[in-house]
Amino acid sequence: MSASSSRTQSRQRSETLDIESIYRSSRSRSTSTFPPADLPRRQLWITEDGSPGENFVSAASVVTVLSRSYKTYFKNLDDSSDTSFEAESYPATELEYPNANACETYYILAPKDPDHYNPIMCLEQSLYTIFECYLTPTQQALFGTLPTDFLQDVDNTPPSSPLTQLSGDSEQSSPVKLPSYDPRGMNYLRLLQRSIRRRDGPLFLSTMQNINQLLRALKYPSLPSDPFAPAPPNVLIEAIKGWPSNEIPNRVLMRIIDETYQRSVGPHALKLNRYEAFSSEVYGELMPSFTSDIIAATRLHKDSLFMDLGCGVGNVLVQASLETCCRSYGIEVMPTPAEVGRGQLRQMKKRCRMWGLSMGEVELEEGDMLTSQRVTELLPQADVVLVNNKVFQQSLNEALRPRFLDLKEGAIVVSLKPFVSSLNARVTERNVDDISAIFDVFERPYRSGSVSWGSGGGSYYLHRVDREGYAVIKQQFENQRARSARAPRR
C-alpha cells in the first residue's frame, strides 16, 4: 500500500472537509521525567527554639486517650513486687530531640493490637534516626552502635553518668572533646535493645536517662570561659547544614511524617472510614513513597505553589511542604478529614521545630473545590495540581476540566485517572477545540503499596499545560482546512 493511500485511510472526514489526524505528542505514555533543571536551594534548618508549645500531641497523649488499648510491657526483674511498670501506673521516659527545648514524653506500654501505635518502637526509631543523621561518627561513638542481629549483647551495668566522657578541651568540629569509642566500654544502644528484649524496665529507664544526658550535652554545650566569646552552637542543628545535596535524608523525612501521622491521624481511623460508598466523597491516601515520586517527577521546589484538590487529611500537603519547602494549598469537602487535617498541620509544624527543620506555608480549606473562591484565585498561580480522582464520579471529573483552562503554561496536573479521553493524544477535527488538547500527557507507574485502597500497583498521569504545542497543532489544522477548501472536488 502506498504512503499516499495510507494517509488517505487515516483521515477523519467531516461534512465538507477532509482533515488528517495529528498526534499530540510522540512522548505520550512515556515514563520519562520532565527536562532537568537546576532547582532553587532552600534553607533546611531553623534558628528558632524547638519547644512544641501548647496543645502538643505527644506519644504519651495518644496512649492516654486510648489507654484501654494498651498493656504492661516492662517489669522489674529484680523485684517482683514493683508495680511501677504496670499499665495503670503509666511508666514513662523522655527523648531529647535535636532542637533546643525539644523533648517528648513516652509511656512505655505495649499495644494490645500489634497493628496499633507502639510507643516503644516509635521511640527506638526516632532515637536511631537522630543517631544516624544528626551525629558525626565521633559523636556516635558516645552512644555505641546500632543493634544488629549478629552483634552479641553487652553484659555490664551502666555507669552513674555518661557525662564523665565529655570532659576536656573543645575540638574544632564539636564544642566538647569526644573520645574514640572503646568496644569494651559502654554501648548504650545495645543496652537499650537488650532491655527491650528482656523487658527489663529499670535497665531501659537508666539507659534512656544516660542517652538523654548525652544528647543534652551536645545540644547545650558548656559556655566558654571568655564571657565575650560566642556561645557554642547546638551541634545537632549544625549537622543539618552538612546534609548531602541540601536535602532532608529520607529516614528523617519519613520519621517526622510517621510521628505526626501516628499521633494526629491514627487515633481517628474509625471516623475517617465512615463515608458514603460509591460516591466522590470517599477517603483514600497516597503513601509517602508515592508522594515523593510525584514530587520528583514534577520537580516541585521551594518557589512552587502546590495545590491538592480533595486533600483528605492533608498528608500530601504537609509532606510536600516539608520535603521541598514549597507553598501548599488544599481543599477538602468532607468535615471529618478536613478537621483531622487541620490538627495534623498544627502538629507537623511543632514536629518540624523539634527536629530543627523548616517547612513551607500550608493553607487548608474546608469546602467545595468547584465553588471555592480561593481555588479560583490560586489556580492561575499553581505549578502542580494534584487530584486524587480514582473514585471520583465522572460528573465531577468533567466539572473539573474547565477549571484547568486557568492554569499557566507549564503547570502540571497529577491525577490517578486521566483527564483526556485517549492517551494516544490523537488530535482530530472533532476534538481539536476540546480543553484537554492543551495537555501533554504522560502515564507513569506506581508501585505496589503506594495507595491505601489496594495492595497492587497502577498508573498515574501527568498532564502538562503546553499551549505553545497546542497552537502549533491548531495552526496545522487551519492549514489543512485551507488546503482542503482549495482542493478541487471529485
Side-chain angles (χ1 to χ4, degrees), residues 157-358:
T157 54
S160 58
S161 172
L163 297 183
T164 56
Q165 304 178 56
L166 295 175
S167 60
D169 300 329
S170 297
E171 291 182 342
Q172 186 175 0
S173 60
S174 173
V176 290
K177 187 174 182 180
L178 305 175
S180 299
Y181 177 65
D182 182 354
R184 297 169 299 177
M186 190 55 54
N187 191 328
Y188 292 108
L189 298 183
R190 291 298 297 166
L191 275 175
L192 189 70
Q193 185 71 12
R194 178 174 181 242
S195 68
I196 294 173
R197 190 163 55 247
R198 297 183 60 192
R199 304 194 176 198
D200 188 336
L203 179 59
F204 181 87
L205 292 180
S206 63
T207 304
M208 280 304 305
Q209 181 181 15
N210 288 329
I211 287 173
N212 282 320
Q213 286 179 340
L214 281 171
L215 289 171
R216 282 190 288 269
L218 295 171
K219 289 169 59 173
Y220 313 111
S222 300
L223 295 175
S225 56
D226 183 353
F228 298 101
N234 175 347
V235 299
L236 302 185
I237 299 301
E238 290 296 300
I240 299 174
K241 301 177 183 180
W243 283 346
S245 304
N246 195 49
E247 294 179 352
I248 300 176
N250 188 66
R251 177 145 192 170
V252 175
L253 177 70
M254 292 299 118
R255 191 85 288 271
I256 297 174
I257 291 170
D258 284 348
E259 283 186 342
T260 307
Y261 185 92
Q262 289 165 344
R263 293 154 177 75
S264 305
V265 181
H268 304 283
L270 290 178
K271 292 192 298 182
L272 292 171
N273 285 329
R274 296 170 186 164
Y275 55 80
E276 181 183 350
F278 308 110
S279 72
S280 295
E281 298 180 2
V282 175
Y283 176 70
E285 297 178 349
L286 307 186
M287 297 296 103
S289 59
F290 187 13
T291 299
S292 290
D293 289 343
I294 292 173
I295 290 171
T298 57
R299 303 191 66 77
L300 206 62
H301 56 78
K302 73 176 186 69
D303 296 329
S304 301
L305 171 59
F306 172 69
M307 298 182 68
D308 187 351
L309 305 183
C311 65
V313 298
N315 290 342
V316 178
L317 292 170
V318 296
Q319 179 174 340
S321 175
L322 172 57
E323 193 166 338
T324 70
C325 213
C326 69
R327 183 162 64 107
S328 299
Y329 163 87
I331 184 168
E332 173 55 48
V333 69
M334 291 191 290
T336 298
E339 178 185 5
V340 174
R342 290 189 291 269
Q344 178 171 216
L345 175 58
R346 289 191 293 268
Q347 297 306 314
M348 173 62 83
K349 291 178 178 179
K350 295 175 183 292
R351 295 250 156 223
C352 287
R353 287 203 303 270
M354 293 172 68
W355 287 87
L357 296 172
S358 62

Side-chain angles (χ1 to χ4, degrees), residues 355-426:
W355 287 87
L357 296 172
S358 62
M359 67 176 289
E361 176 186 348
V362 180
E363 179 182 349
L364 292 174
E365 179 182 357
E366 181 180 340
D368 187 336
M369 67 181 80
L370 297 178
T371 61
S372 167
Q373 183 60 35
R374 190 62 174 149
V375 171
T376 301
E377 293 171 359
L378 292 178
L379 267 179
Q381 308 171 38
D383 296 285
V384 179
V385 179
L386 172 65
V387 186
N388 181 2
N389 62 340
K390 187 70 173 180
V391 295
F392 279 9
Q393 292 180 341
Q394 185 62 26
S395 59
L396 180 54
N397 282 322
E398 289 297 328
L400 276 173
R401 278 159 44 96
R403 306 300 302 269
F404 298 146
L405 287 172
D406 296 329
L407 292 171
K408 63 186 178 182
E409 185 75 0
I412 301 170
V413 176
V414 183
S415 66
L416 276 293
K417 290 170 63 176
F419 282 100
V420 296
S421 58
S422 176
L423 282 181
N424 66 7
R426 188 184 187 193

Side-chain angles (χ1 to χ4, degrees), residues 26 29 69 75-76 88 96 108 190 220 222 266 278 353 362 369 401 442 466 479 482:
S26 61
R29 303 182 69 91
S69 301
K75 56 187 174 182
N76 188 333
E88 295 77 12
E96 290 283 343
I108 49 176
R190 291 298 297 166
Y220 313 111
S222 300
F278 308 110
R353 287 203 303 270
V362 180
M369 67 181 80
R401 278 159 44 96
F442 300 76
D466 182 17
N479 294 341

